Amino acid sequence: MELALNQPAPLWKRLSWFDWLFAVIIATGSLFALSRFGDFMDIYEKAILLAAIPAMALFGWFWKPFRVLFLVSAGVALFAISQYQGSLARMEEAFFLKYLISSQAAIMWMCALFGLATLSYWAGLLARSGFLLKTGSTLTWSAVAMGLIGLMVRWYESYLIGADIGHIPVSNLYEVFVLFCLITAMMYLYYEARYQTRQMGAFVLLVISAAVGFILWYSLDRGAQEIQPLVPALKSWWMKLHVPANFIGYGGFSIAAMLGTGYLLAQRGILASRLPKLEVIDDMMYKSIAIGFAFFTISTILGAMWAAEAWGGYWSWDPKETWALIVWLNYAAWLHIRLVKGLRGPMLAWWAVAGLFITTFAFIGVNMFLSGLHSYGTL
């Protein structure tokens, strides 16, 4: 009887009116998009859009803060889209577009906010200031919102250039680095709330700030913010599934590496009194790798299926594919050692840190130093 009383109520009984309102808004928006743009979609893209309705609703029910983040970002993005009035030239004429919520302006604000968040987290960690740590969290949430707005508006801008050019903004290094920042920050914010460990933001935001540095260099030096037509191989609905899943993997692995860095410092008595207990950091590191590995596995399978459609074979030992396999084997071994052998402690922390270098080479090093079927991603 006592066990029965302690059982949680079914999910549908635990939902608030705001949960249901969020689901209705998601469904209404998706169905409107289907009615408005369905003629430009194939059957697979329509299926993805319809499947996104329950997926987004469930995600919002599972992680409550996501509801507000999504609704605010979508609302501001829709306002930005209305300001264009069908002309890309309005980007330089309308005040809000020019300085705040065009795609490039919003992404630059995202970069600035992530930089300020990094400084706030470190200041809060070193000064033991709860206020500064909370400020870091607020700035990180704000940066994520601006990044989401930037990507959504960029998607619309690509169609203003031309219906044949329009595409989801996950097609080149500039766009996926923005996506990496957003996914990594959102994953961290979830763990931050779950474990009540704002102190670890000082470490995780370092890797996001490194990505921000790349975005700024890539924009200012290479003009990468300019929207370009897709190469033929990328004109596929597979991209909408493969790329986001891949970067959830990269985000999880990056968080684990920075948590591993914090673990190693605390284990040596550096900042130990300011950081969470080693057991807490270890558990966060494990769960980050587990989630990242699950999505990276899904991404690899989707990538093989996409390759079969685009190039006629599931696997060709292209450098990008080979390094993806190396990344997968690295984290498969890490999880095996932890789960089967029960190993904990500094060795796995060092391994997680080393894994970031392997992942980084697979992410960007291949594009810089090797060539192959994925050469459309070169610098």
Side-chain angles (χ1 to χ4, degrees), residues 88-165:
L88 202 60
R90 289 275 298 166
M91 189 188 300
E92 295 299 323
E93 300 169 0
F95 175 85
F96 287 109
L97 293 179
K98 186 174 182 178
Y99 296 107
L100 289 173
I101 50 177
S102 66
S103 67
Q104 184 61 7
I107 289 170
M108 289 300 102
W109 276 108
M110 177 203 77
C111 293
L113 289 166
F114 273 135
L116 291 172
T118 305
L119 294 176
S120 295
Y121 272 123
W122 273 102
L125 175 66
L126 297 176
R128 301 178 187 270
S129 170
F131 171 76
L132 287 173
L133 289 172
K134 187 174 182 179
T135 300
S137 293
T138 302
L139 288 168
T140 302
W141 277 107
S142 301
V144 171
M146 293 305 293
L148 285 173
I149 292 164
L151 286 185
M152 286 189 277
V153 174
R154 185 178 177 86
W155 197 345
Y156 176 74
E157 289 172 354
S158 70
Y159 279 93
L160 285 181
I161 296 173
D164 57 333
I165 293 177

Side-chain angles (χ1 to χ4, degrees), residues 30 34 38 41-55 237 240-241:
S30 299
L34 183 63
M41 303 177 185
D42 60 30
I43 185 64
Y44 302 106
E45 291 170 323
K46 292 177 180 178
I48 292 171
L49 179 60
L50 291 175
I53 297 174
W237 60 272
K240 299 175 177 65
L241 300 174

Side-chain angles (χ1 to χ4, degrees), residues 30-94:
S30 299
L31 293 175
F32 174 77
L34 183 63
S35 66
R36 182 80 177 271
F37 305 108
D39 292 340
F40 299 96
M41 303 177 185
D42 60 30
I43 185 64
Y44 302 106
E45 291 170 323
K46 292 177 180 178
I48 292 171
L49 179 60
L50 291 175
I53 297 174
M56 293 283 284
L58 286 171
F59 189 66
W61 293 350
F62 173 74
W63 188 32
K64 304 296 186 182
F66 175 76
R67 302 168 306 173
V68 177
L69 171 69
F70 180 82
L71 292 177
V72 170
S73 301
V76 175
L78 288 172
F79 172 73
I81 288 170
S82 72
Q83 295 296 293
Y84 281 94
Q85 300 176 6
S87 172
L88 202 60
R90 289 275 298 166
M91 189 188 300
E92 295 299 323
E93 300 169 0

Side-chain angles (χ1 to χ4, degrees), residues 13 18 84 91 99 112 123 132 219 235 248 254 257 265 292 295 317 325 337 339 343 366 368 371:
K13 288 186 177 180
F18 189 54
Y84 281 94
M91 189 188 300
Y99 296 107
L132 287 173
S219 301
K235 293 180 178 178
I248 294 174
S254 299
L265 290 175
F295 277 91
W317 294 106
L325 178 60
I337 291 294
L339 294 174
L343 189 64
V366 170
M368 295 174 63
S371 61

Side-chain angles (χ1 to χ4, degrees), residues 280-338:
V280 174
I281 301 176
D282 179 81
D283 194 54
M284 291 175 67
M285 182 170 58
Y286 157 64
K287 287 178 178 174
S288 296
I289 287 180
I291 293 295
F293 181 77
F295 277 91
F296 193 79
T297 301
I298 293 170
S299 170
T300 302
I301 295 170
L302 293 172
M305 297 172 72
W306 185 5
E309 180 181 286
W311 300 316
Y314 290 99
W315 198 266
S316 59
W317 294 106
D318 172 77
K320 198 78 169 181
E321 295 172 345
T322 303
W323 274 93
L325 178 60
I326 291 171
V327 171
W328 188 89
L329 290 172
N330 175 66
Y331 288 105
W334 192 99
L335 289 169
H336 173 79
I337 291 294
R338 192 184 193 281

